[in-house]
Amino acid sequence: MGEALVAGLIRSGHWKPSQITVCDVRPEQLAQLQLRYKIRASADNRWAVRDADIILLAVKPQHMKHVLGELGPIIRQKQLVLSIAAGIPTRLIKKFLAEDVPVVRIMPNTPALVGLGMAALSRGRSATSAHESLARSILETVGDVLTVTESQMDAVTAVSGSGPAYVFYVAQARTEAGAQLRLAAEVADQLVRQTIKGTGALLAQSHEEAETLRQKVTSPGGTTEAALKIMEKAKVRAIFLKALRSAANRSRELSQQPH
Ligand SMILES: NC(=O)c1ccc[n+]([C@@H]2O[C@H](COP(=O)([O-])OP(=O)(O)OC[C@H]3O[C@@H](n4cnc5c(N)ncnc54)[C@H](OP(=O)(O)O)[C@@H]3O)[C@@H](O)[C@H]2O)c1
């Protein structure tokens, strides 16, 4: 996810590679990133943040405490801290930082890799609207951005953060069904990929609700209706609601854990 943001920043032309320093614990990963994006790279997190204006924390949630323990004492008030770690509240991040260091929490998603991400952000207590604008300008290089309250972050995680996984899950089921219906694997694969791409674009560009668009392709007594009847009978929609509630609950649980 960190790499997706670096790629977006450079692609946007608003940031020069020489303005970006990337850190990672794996030397081979660092070498690759340096080569690919011509950015600066360092295995020393402390060295890298010393002169940074913006510090983006993009490690797994379980590594955040370690990284914040290392960096917290040297981060200063004029620097901006951005975190994309799922389930880590700004109040927890601020515990490791000096008073008044601004923190913005972000929930991105992986379509950021192809410039079509959906990110939500919320400001911590010391962050101003100028800090929020700065965070936005970074995220807008890889997709759309919404501002939410931090209490909405668990729901955002369930809907858009984890969202791509649900689409991949449905894609997998459709590819399997194609094979059962005796389509060659590569044919089923292409049908599924392009249909998801096309339907996503149609939904994004339409002013109509998903439900209306679905009704338009569901003729009474037709093939689509036959499939949807089975899904409704099996309560697939209700299962989706239950599943997303579970994702949001898990995000809430993670944020309440002592990390
Ligand atoms: N992937 C998603 O869909 C998604 C969506 C929304 C938010 N996020 C959030 O984005 C964050 C990153 O997720 P990801 O999937 O991109 O994880 P990732 O692929 O594991 O990337 C994190 C990188 O940080 C490195 N790292 C670990 N400890 C470090 C340390 N002390 N100092 C410097 N670098 C260190 C990791 O190295 P090792 O691999 O050697 O540990 C890894 O290369 C997570 O907090 C996640 O919650 C991810």
Side-chain angles (χ1 to χ4, degrees):
M1 189 55 76
E3 179 177 356
L5 289 167
V6 167
L9 285 173
I10 293 171
R11 208 173 32 222
S12 74
H14 295 306
W15 299 69
K16 290 198 237 57
S18 60
Q19 290 178 285
I20 301 170
T21 303
V22 71
C23 291
D24 202 288
V25 279
R26 278 184 292 150
E28 68 280 8
Q29 169 89 332
L30 270 182
Q32 269 187 21
L33 291 170
Q34 192 169 24
L35 198 69
R36 205 172 292 152
Y37 302 103
K38 316 283 178 250
I39 51 182
R40 300 192 305 172
S42 170
D44 183 349
N45 292 342
R46 290 169 64 88
W47 177 84
V49 307
R50 207 151 274 152
D51 294 323
D53 296 318
I54 304 168
I55 299 153
L56 172 73
L57 301 170
V59 294
K60 293 257 191 258
Q62 61 269 29
H63 296 148
M64 278 289 275
K65 193 176 170 185
H66 172 80
V67 171
L68 283 166
E70 182 189 18
L71 298 180
I74 60 165
I75 294 178
R76 287 156 293 133
Q77 195 201 330
K78 64 173 189 155
Q79 297 175 301
L80 170 63
V81 175
L82 307 179
S83 164
I84 62 168
I88 307 282
T90 52
R91 67 175 153 70
L92 193 133
I93 298 170
K94 286 181 71 62
K95 270 193 196 164
F96 290 85
L97 303 172
E99 181 84 9
D100 293 337
V101 173
V103 178
V104 174
R105 179 175 166 191
I106 296 160
M107 176 46 60
N109 68 8
T110 52
L113 283 164
V114 291
L116 292 171
M118 180 67 245
L121 58 78
S122 55
R123 298 190 224 160
R125 250 187 327 108
S126 320
T128 63
S129 57
H131 295 127
E132 181 180 322
S133 301
L134 199 49
R136 258 182 182 272
S137 69
I138 290 176
L139 295 168
E140 279 168 354
T141 65
V142 290
D144 288 355
V145 188
L146 272 179
T147 299
V148 297
T149 61
E150 195 161 2
S151 61
Q152 292 174 314
M153 273 295 183
D154 298 319
V156 168
T157 304
V159 174
S160 62
S162 305
Y166 318 141
V167 178
F168 295 138
Y169 185 77
V170 171
Q172 184 191 350
R174 288 167 57 195
T175 311
E176 280 168 15
Q180 281 187 11
L181 295 166
R182 297 178 189 279
L183 288 175
E186 64 278 13
V187 172
D189 187 66
Q190 188 181 347
L191 293 176
V192 169
R193 284 176 197 265
Q194 181 62 11
T195 307
I196 289 179
K197 184 178 166 190
T199 311
L202 189 61
L203 180 62
Q205 286 168 32
S206 173
H207 299 298
E208 292 178 309
E209 306 277 327
E211 189 183 355
T212 311
L213 293 170
R214 179 177 61 76
Q215 278 165 359
K216 280 188 176 175
V217 291
T218 314
S219 327
T223 56
T224 311
E225 190 188 63
L228 289 171
K229 265 187 179 162
I230 297 285
M231 293 187 201
E232 282 293 297
K233 199 166 167 208
K235 302 198 181 342
V236 173
R237 202 144 41 112
I239 289 170
F240 261 95
L241 298 182
K242 198 171 162 189
L244 266 73
R245 260 202 310 273
S246 174
N249 287 341
R250 182 66 191 136
S251 172
R252 196 167 308 115
E253 265 171 31
L254 285 173
S255 66
Q256 282 159 6
Q257 264 176 22
H259 288 274

